[in-house]
Amino acid sequence: MGEQRFARGAFLWGLSGIYLCAFLSLYTQIPGLYGRDGILPAWKMLRFTGKSFWEQLKDSPTLLWLGPPLGLDTEQGMELICLLGALLSLGALVFNCFRDSLVFLLLWILYLSLYQVGQVFLYFQWDSLLLEAGFLAVLVAPLHAFRSKTNVWGPHDGITFWLIRWLLFRLMFASGVVKLTSRCPTWWGLTALTYHYETQCIPTPAAWYAHQLPVWFQKLSVVATYVIEIGVPWLFFLPSRRLSLFSFYVQVLLQVLIILTGNYNFFNLLTLVLCFSLLDDHNVRPDQKGKKAQKGSIFSIKSLVVLLDLLVFALLVFWTVKYFDLHINWQRYHVETRTAFTYHDFLQWLRTLTFPSIWIAVASLGWEILKGMYRCAVGHSVLWKLWATVQWIIFSFAAVGMFAVSLVPYTYIDFETTGQLWPSVHQMFKSVDKYQVANSYGLFRRMTGVGGRPEVVLEGSYDNETWTEIEFMYKPGNVSTAPPIVTPHQPRLDWQMWFAALGPHSQSPWFTSFVYRLLQGNKDVVRLVQNEESVYPFHSHPPHYIRAQLYRYWFTETDQTGHTSSNWWRRRHVEEFYPVVFIGDHTLESLLNQHGFKDKPPTRRSPDAPFPSALRLIRDFLQLYPAPLLLHSLIITVVVLYSLQALFGRGSKSGVSKQRGHSKPQGDKKKQKVNSGQGSSAASGSGGDAAHISKRREKS
């Protein structure tokens, strides 16, 4: 793989956009989730015991310890961190000079500070993935203070950017492996996607149409998922540009299909950004001259590489057909498939190849380190070589250290392999575990909702007889309401409601606090349910009673004639999820005291201080707009700015080319005059001046 300066720039630009979406999305939900009277108040996570700042920082690495000197409560400190993170990431998204190592270090520190007090509403795999990718971006991004504007590609950049490819490999490979190691019958029976589209947390309207696809196509799609997540990642480290490009396109295809059918906030967008590590400058900006120069050769190294690539593709197809028993049923005109291996076979294969995959990664990283050393050796001057060598040594050690630390969570896919790692590697991992710089992954381990999508429906009443359902903005409720499109925003309360429905309410203690805040009529919590007060059924006065029922939801289906129902969902009542409670109810009070939700918050600091007043003004202005509208507006604005920049930049380039085109005939006329009648001395003088000017230009 060649140089990756443009791919690296695309990665840093995309990561800036992900940070922007993550900070703004969380900012809109802080009062309801983490406020003094929120569902899970953040002040409980920070106990000011009189320790020094550095001792507190060692216990919990978060900048929120600096809130009291600024006159800020914990939730106000979270708002300030989100706003600072949004401004920094927006600057990095728009201006190239902001895509600096120090800027990404600040972004990582800010998001880690939020993660430390986020509790269950921030304990998602994509939050950990953003922190790990964000920390690696500190190593990948250039440090402009030590680089000139022309030297945008350092000799060590390929080494640090390789860590992004290794992260993508761990993410995809682990996500594919856990589907089979979980022994989920739907994944082994290749029927998981017949349930997935209707049982995922927040489906999109396209999910309804994907659910209507025939079963044979759904099973074939599961096979394709296994190939993309388990088979294709092995191609990431092969020294073939064609295989890397193929890997890039299939990974992008999978992520785009997931985005179209599910609202997974910024997770799939972040995975797309990681995919830029599979590209090099030739893929981004192909060199046409190089292609023309190679057309004349009949048999060369390029031909051998093509044959090897074809062999890899053939093996990938062969193993897919063999292990999933693919064959065409010509009578029914569809492809039939089944899993043609056992759980023991797969476990044996996994244990056999886990360590070889590590050594393949070691060889790939070693090759990048050797290439970096070669770039240092071919520098322009001795001083440059010395400085480049120092950077190469530092970043090579950093890359090797990060790779070693990541081996511990990577080998979680096979716990026997984890025990075979060196004890020093485990110690390194434990020392950095709380900073989320290396994490384990594995999405969709088991398919939930096989017997119907479990959904908790809240109901409120004034008299304990007439009950009114409380509909959420995003999660399924009303069967006639179409699924929303909210990506890249993540409504974190709606997501936790999905997890709460998978078990009894005792497994989700926050649910009791949520019910209590609704009974109190807390406006910040109500905004998490409905942003418009007029839509909330109890906007004039909070309900006196609240209960929750458990339902099973299914997508409606087309009949044999092709007609569809006017509803998107159908549902059936299962049981009571949460009993009837009211303010002062003994059951409610005991649950609140049991989980500490009745603890009194600390005294509020002066609201007239500069920072709290400014934060309150910003909050009052931004809370008028729904979070998806804010995010989509910003994204459209950035796209328009880049489009205008590209348009005007192209126009200026075309103007320059026209001027150059008009100047060429004039130069030819001058040459004709010199050759015809100016004399040999004049001709030699002009030629000497031209040669002198050209040499000066080359030097400059």
Side-chain angles (χ1 to χ4, degrees):
M1 184 174 289
E3 289 189 352
Q4 296 178 285
R5 67 180 68 187
F6 296 111
R8 186 193 59 153
F11 163 75
L12 296 175
W13 179 82
L15 187 62
S16 304
I18 301 300
Y19 265 126
L20 176 63
C21 297
F23 280 117
L24 272 184
S25 175
L26 183 60
Y27 171 80
T28 61
Q29 305 172 74
I30 286 176
L33 295 179
Y34 304 112
R36 292 168 57 87
D37 297 321
I39 299 175
L40 290 178
W43 61 265
K44 293 184 177 182
M45 303 299 295
L46 298 179
R47 300 289 184 177
F48 295 90
T49 57
K51 294 182 179 180
S52 66
F53 170 74
W54 297 109
E55 290 177 338
Q56 292 174 331
L57 198 63
K58 185 178 180 180
D59 296 336
S60 179
T62 174
L63 294 179
L64 292 172
W65 295 113
L66 296 173
L70 298 176
L72 298 175
D73 295 333
T74 304
E75 62 271 17
Q76 292 173 335
M78 295 182 69
E79 291 186 2
L80 179 60
I81 286 177
C82 283
L83 291 175
L84 289 176
L87 287 175
L88 277 177
S89 54
L90 181 61
L93 190 64
V94 177
F95 302 105
N96 186 39
C97 61
F98 273 79
R99 291 170 217 149
D100 184 84
S101 180
L102 294 179
V103 172
F104 282 102
L105 177 61
L106 286 174
L107 289 172
W108 177 77
I109 292 175
L110 293 175
Y111 203 77
L112 179 65
S113 299
L114 298 171
Y115 180 86
Q116 295 299 321
V117 299
Q119 305 169 76
V120 296
F121 292 111
L122 265 172
Y123 290 167
F124 294 99
Q125 290 195 46
W126 34 87
D127 294 308
S128 299
L129 180 64
L130 178 57
L131 284 171
E132 183 171 354
F135 184 80
L136 296 180
V138 178
L139 302 176
V140 172
L143 189 59
H144 290 112
F146 295 96
R147 290 193 185 183
S148 62
K149 293 183 179 179
T150 56
N151 187 20
V152 295
W153 176 257
H156 63 271
D157 288 339
I159 303 172
T160 54
F161 199 40
W162 179 92
L163 293 172
I164 305 300
R165 202 186 328 161
W166 170 241
L167 173 59
L168 178 65
F169 172 82
R170 290 192 289 117
L171 172 66
M172 301 309 300
F173 186 67
S175 296
V177 166
V178 297
K179 294 176 174 60
L180 294 174
T181 56
S182 66
R183 309 184 82 165
C184 176
T186 62
W187 285 115
W188 277 91
L190 307 180
T191 58
L193 291 184
T194 60
Y195 307 102
H196 165 72
Y197 296 113
E198 67 180 3
T199 59
Q200 59 184 322
C201 181
I202 305 178
T204 66
W208 185 93
Y209 295 96
H211 182 74
Q212 312 303 322
L213 295 171
V215 175
W216 70 267
F217 187 85
Q218 307 280 25
K219 297 177 71 174
L220 188 63
S221 299
V222 174
V223 174
T225 302
Y226 284 142
V227 173
I228 294 174
E229 292 185 346
I230 299 178
V232 173
W234 291 83
L235 310 182
F236 292 177
F237 306 112
L238 297 182
S240 170
R241 180 176 287 118
R242 186 176 290 101
L243 294 178
S244 297
L245 195 60
F246 168 76
S247 303
F248 171 79
Y249 282 129
V250 296
Q251 298 299 332
V252 168
L253 175 64
L254 176 63
Q255 300 307 318
V256 169
L257 291 176
I258 296 176
I259 291 173
L260 292 176
T261 56
N263 289 286
Y264 291 97
N265 50 84
F266 57 82
F267 168 64
N268 301 107
L269 297 174
L270 178 55
T271 308
L272 286 174
V273 170
L274 297 179
C275 290
F276 284 119
S277 62
L278 302 175
L279 301 178
D280 59 13
D281 290 353
H282 180 81
N283 301 131
V284 180
R285 294 187 177 183
D287 186 6
Q288 299 296 334
K289 295 182 180 179
K291 291 183 178 180
K292 292 181 180 178
Q294 295 177 356
K295 285 185 178 179
S297 59
I298 299 176
F299 183 79
S300 61
I301 297 179
K302 182 179 178 181
S303 302
L304 180 60
V305 171
V306 171
L307 291 177
L308 292 177
D309 292 345
L310 292 176
L311 177 61
V312 171
F313 288 133
L315 289 175
L316 192 62
V317 173
F318 170 75
W319 286 330
T320 303
V321 173
K322 176 182 178 181
Y323 290 112
F324 292 99
D325 194 19
L326 290 174
H327 61 275
I328 301 176
N329 188 327
W330 296 104
Q331 295 180 348
R332 298 183 178 181
Y333 298 102
H334 65 243
V335 179
E336 294 184 353
T337 180
R338 67 179 183 87
T339 306
F341 55 91
T342 64
Y343 174 77
H344 176 75
D345 295 335
F346 179 76
L347 208 59
Q348 189 65 31
W349 173 85
L350 183 62
R351 291 172 179 172
T352 304
L353 293 181
T354 300
F355 253 106
S357 68
I358 295 176
W359 289 114
I360 290 174
V362 169
S364 179
L365 177 58
W367 176 246
E368 292 295 339
I369 293 175
L370 290 176
K371 287 197 300 183
M373 183 175 63
Y374 172 76
R375 292 192 185 100
C376 295
V378 297
H380 300 287
S381 63
V382 177
L383 186 61
W384 187 93
K385 291 180 181 179
L386 180 61
W387 176 237
T389 303
V390 172
Q391 295 181 74
W392 170 76
I393 293 174
I394 294 174
F395 283 96
S396 295
F397 272 104
V400 171
M402 288 301 303
F403 173 72
V405 168
S406 68
L407 291 179
V408 176
Y410 169 64
T411 52
Y412 287 165
I413 58 177
D414 179 25
F415 287 101
E416 291 188 3
T417 307
T418 306
Q420 299 176 18
L421 294 175
W422 296 289
S424 58
V425 175
H426 287 278
Q427 293 177 359
M428 291 172 57
F429 175 74
K430 289 180 180 179
S431 63
V432 299
D433 186 26
K434 62 181 177 181
Y435 300 106
Q436 298 295 306
V437 297
N439 305 285
S440 61
Y441 304 99
L443 297 168
F444 303 109
R445 183 184 300 269
R446 298 187 65 88
M447 190 54 57
T448 59
V450 174
R453 171 198 182 94
E455 199 67 58
V456 175
V457 176
L458 279 169
E459 297 177 341
S461 173
Y462 289 119
D463 54 8
N464 200 13
E465 294 182 359
T466 304
W467 294 91
T468 303
E469 292 188 9
I470 300 175
E471 295 185 24
F472 285 65
M473 286 184 287
Y474 308 113
K475 83 177 192 68
N478 191 334
V479 294
S480 62
T481 302
I485 298 177
V486 298
T487 301
H489 171 59
Q490 182 186 3
R492 296 182 180 266
L493 175 60
D494 295 65
W495 269 86
Q496 285 301 329
M497 289 289 291
W498 182 82
F499 283 106
L502 301 179
H505 70 83
S506 58
Q507 296 181 0
S508 304
W510 61 267
F511 191 82
T512 297
S513 177
F514 174 50
V515 170
Y516 180 59
R517 300 308 180 192
L518 291 180
L519 287 171
Q520 289 180 323
N522 187 294
K523 292 184 178 180
D524 292 327
V525 175
V526 169
R527 286 194 187 97
L528 298 176
V529 180
Q530 284 291 343
N531 192 59
E532 298 181 10
E533 292 186 1
S534 59
V535 180
Y536 185 65
F538 303 99
H539 64 275
S540 59
H541 192 276
H544 297 158
Y545 304 91
I546 281 183
R547 68 182 184 184
Q549 303 293 332
L550 183 67
Y551 283 82
R552 292 283 181 178
Y553 275 68
W554 298 268
F555 270 143
T556 56
E557 298 179 355
T558 58
D559 56 22
Q560 297 180 352
T561 61
H563 295 307
T564 60
S565 172
S566 59
N567 295 331
W568 291 82
W569 300 94
R570 57 187 178 90
R571 71 180 188 179
R572 176 174 58 84
H573 181 264
V574 179
E575 61 183 1
E576 182 184 69
F577 179 80
Y578 199 86
V580 178
V581 293
F582 52 91
I583 296 293
D585 179 66
H586 175 72
T587 301
L588 179 62
E589 292 293 327
S590 62
L591 289 173
L592 291 173
N593 290 322
Q594 177 184 350
H595 300 295
F597 294 126
K598 295 287 286 186
D599 297 345
K600 293 183 179 181
T603 305
R604 182 179 291 276
R605 304 182 186 277
S606 175
D608 298 329
F611 278 110
S613 300
L615 290 172
R616 188 168 57 253
L617 289 175
I618 297 174
R619 167 66 59 188
D620 293 339
F621 174 74
L622 292 180
Q623 73 180 5
L624 300 175
Y625 306 98
L629 179 61
L630 283 175
L631 291 173
H632 295 161
S633 301
L634 267 177
I635 293 173
I636 293 173
T637 302
V638 172
V639 170
V640 170
L641 286 176
Y642 270 90
S643 301
L644 292 176
Q645 182 181 3
L647 181 63
F648 286 110
R650 189 179 304 168
S652 62
K653 288 181 180 180
S654 62
V656 172
S657 63
K658 287 182 179 179
Q659 292 178 2
R660 291 178 178 175
H662 287 300
S663 64
K664 286 182 179 179
Q666 295 176 1
D668 293 339
K669 290 180 180 179
K670 290 180 179 180
K671 288 182 180 179
Q672 290 175 4
K673 289 181 180 179
V674 170
N675 293 332
S676 60
Q678 296 291 332
S680 59
S681 61
S684 61
S686 62
D689 292 340
H692 180 66
I693 293 172
S694 64
K695 288 181 180 179
R696 289 179 59 188
R697 288 178 177 174
E698 289 177 359
K699 290 181 180 179
S700 62

